[in-house]
Amino acid sequence: MPHAHLDARTTIRASAHAVFERMSDLSRFNDWNPFPSMDPTTVSRHEGPASGVGAVFHYEGKRLGKGRMEIVAVDAPRRIDIQMTFWRGGSA
């Protein structure tokens, strides 16, 4: 199975704790996630704890495809490791 690694960085005018709390809470992922607005057919759901290790976010849409994100490790407030699984790609 192919694997990929993504390391993204940006500067945000907020405390590391505030950003970490927001990013690690998958129950509120769609509060800031830009992708559902690109595909109004998208349906998503959260399972497990709201945040932290074991939090899971599922999505499926005609354009976005079908996938799953799970928080597998955290180093608060510096790092969140997310395992992403893509079952089906969407259409452009």
Side-chain angles (χ1 to χ4, degrees):
M1 172 179 265
H3 285 68
H5 174 84
L6 172 66
D7 186 356
R9 299 169 192 261
T10 191
T11 301
I12 299 171
R13 292 182 184 193
S15 71
H17 179 75
V19 173
F20 181 85
E21 290 299 315
R22 176 60 76 92
M23 298 295 293
S24 68
D25 186 348
L26 292 187
S27 72
R28 297 183 55 202
F29 181 64
N30 279 336
D31 290 356
W32 58 271
N33 178 10
F35 293 106
S37 64
M38 297 175 0
D39 182 355
T41 70
T42 301
V43 176
S44 62
R45 68 181 170 85
H46 164 266
E47 70 180 44
S51 63
V53 175
V56 177
F57 180 83
H58 295 269
Y59 67 90
E60 184 169 7
K62 288 181 182 177
R63 183 172 181 202
L64 295 179
K66 181 178 180 180
R68 177 183 191 271
M69 300 171 29
E70 179 177 358
I71 296 178
V72 295
V74 295
D75 180 13
R78 291 185 285 221
R79 181 175 168 159
I80 304 166
D81 292 350
I82 298 176
Q83 180 178 335
M84 298 183 74
T85 305
F86 304 97
W87 285 292
R88 179 177 55 79
S91 60

